Amino acid sequence: MPIRRSQRLAARREAAFAALLVAPVLAWLGATLLYPLAVSLALSVENVRVIGSVGRFVGLDNYLSVLGSAAFWLALGRSVVWVVGNAVVQTALAMAAALVLEQSFPGVRIARTWIVLTWIVPTIVIVIVWRWLLSTSGGMINPLLIALGVIREPVGFFSTPASAMATLILINSWRWFPFIAVMLLAGLQRIPGELYEAAALDGASRFARFRRITLPLLQPTLFVLTVIGTLLSFNVFDIVWLLTGGGPANATTTLPILIYRTAFKGYRLSEAAAMSVVATVLLMGLALIAVRTLAPREEAR
């Protein structure tokens, strides 16, 4: 009994020490996450129009206005298209890159280092480069596509709603897929090589090994990346705003763009705060649903 009590006391001390170490981080997260959310909640029930002005309490009027606004639902729909498109393209590019970088070939270490270059380049640099590449006058993409016979005349990649959204998805995916590829590469390197050797001896093809071994064992990593990637993609503002400003004809006006316009262009700060609160609730609900339905489960023994 004395030994068990001493063990319990030691465990409690370790837990208290661990909590003490984590406390500053939790306090910082609370200050940077909970405080802005509390301010948004307070603003959303008032009628503040510009920063610094005093508003009066209006209750749920802003929420009723937001939920009854066609612009809000259209922006939410575009955000869904944006998130799904980015998830598909980023995952496909990242998986392909991770599978290549997992192989052994001359220069693989350099390739693994340089693949993160597009992820660390500042957004404004990416915007300038892609604007130049996609320009109808002097850009490199249009002449290349014409030389390959894909198109006959220069295309305005941001001139139509469909092409503008597709182009933004490709650019954003190009920027973020290296980060996902590095995470997937780490997951691939944790898979025992003996499994592939045994499957090869049994006559399994490369595709069968990928489907039966790689994908199942990567499922936990893919799940985490899917949830985090969805939340991050939903909140992307800079690339969309700098490249299209939400155009043409509001075709790329996702929810973050609409919130910004409402707050700082339409001077309806409280309504924008209500939109942000609704968006936060939707994202939290989506994350909870994903955790409950998509999280890998251990098979019952």
Side-chain angles (χ1 to χ4, degrees):
M1 293 295 292
I3 296 177
R4 291 183 178 179
R5 289 180 181 176
S6 62
Q7 290 176 345
R8 292 175 185 173
L9 183 60
R12 290 177 182 175
R13 288 177 178 174
E14 290 181 1
F17 182 67
L20 182 64
L21 293 177
V22 176
V25 178
L26 294 178
W28 175 256
L29 289 176
T32 56
L33 296 178
L34 297 180
Y35 177 73
L37 182 59
V39 172
S40 296
L41 282 170
L43 280 174
S44 67
V45 295
E46 297 180 347
N47 65 342
V48 177
R49 299 188 64 86
V50 295
I51 296 177
S53 63
V54 179
R56 60 180 178 82
F57 180 78
V58 294
L60 299 178
D61 288 356
N62 289 316
Y63 290 95
L64 295 175
S65 176
V66 167
L67 296 176
S69 170
F72 173 80
W73 294 108
L74 288 173
L76 181 61
R78 297 186 196 101
S79 292
V80 172
V81 173
W82 167 262
V83 168
V84 173
N86 276 281
V88 172
V89 177
Q90 288 178 20
T91 303
L93 292 175
M95 181 63 75
L99 290 174
V100 171
L101 294 177
E102 201 264 339
Q103 306 301 315
S104 179
F105 57 87
V108 64
R109 292 182 180 273
I110 298 176
R112 290 175 182 176
T113 302
W114 279 85
I115 191 176
V116 298
L117 180 63
T118 60
W119 181 54
I120 63 177
V121 172
T123 303
I124 189 62
V125 176
I126 293 174
V127 169
I128 293 173
V129 170
W130 278 103
R131 272 185 175 174
W132 169 65
L133 290 173
L134 298 173
S135 174
T136 55
S137 58
M140 295 178 61
I141 301 298
N142 273 305
L144 178 61
L145 294 178
I146 293 174
L148 293 174
V150 178
I151 58 177
R152 295 183 178 180
E153 57 185 15
V155 175
F157 291 94
F158 299 111
S159 60
T160 64
S163 64
M165 178 62 78
T167 303
L168 285 175
I169 289 174
L170 290 174
I171 293 174
N172 191 66
S173 298
W174 173 84
R175 184 190 183 188
W176 285 99
F177 90 87
F179 171 75
I180 302 175
V182 171
M183 299 297 103
L184 292 178
L185 178 61
L188 286 172
Q189 292 178 337
R190 289 198 299 266
I191 300 176
E194 295 80 3
L195 296 178
Y196 293 107
E197 294 175 2
L201 290 175
D202 290 337
S205 64
R206 285 182 176 270
F207 179 74
R209 280 176 275 170
F210 176 77
R211 185 167 62 92
R212 296 292 186 179
I213 299 175
T214 305
L215 280 182
L217 294 181
L218 275 182
Q219 188 179 359
T221 304
L222 285 172
F223 166 71
V224 173
L225 291 175
T226 298
V227 174
I228 296 177
T230 298
L231 299 179
L232 293 177
S233 295
F234 190 94
N235 291 313
V236 168
F237 171 83
D238 47 6
I239 284 184
V240 180
W241 181 256
L242 292 172
L243 282 171
T244 65
N250 294 325
T252 58
T253 301
T254 56
L255 203 50
I257 300 296
L258 180 63
I259 292 173
Y260 177 83
R261 283 182 175 175
T262 303
F264 303 109
K265 300 292 183 179
Y267 301 106
R268 302 192 305 276
L269 190 62
S270 289
E271 187 176 333
M275 288 183 186
S276 65
V277 172
V278 173
T280 301
V281 172
L282 290 175
L283 288 176
M284 291 176 62
L286 179 62
L288 289 175
I289 292 173
V291 169
R292 289 181 176 273
T293 59
L294 301 178
R297 293 179 174 83
E298 295 184 359
E299 296 182 0
R301 297 181 180 178

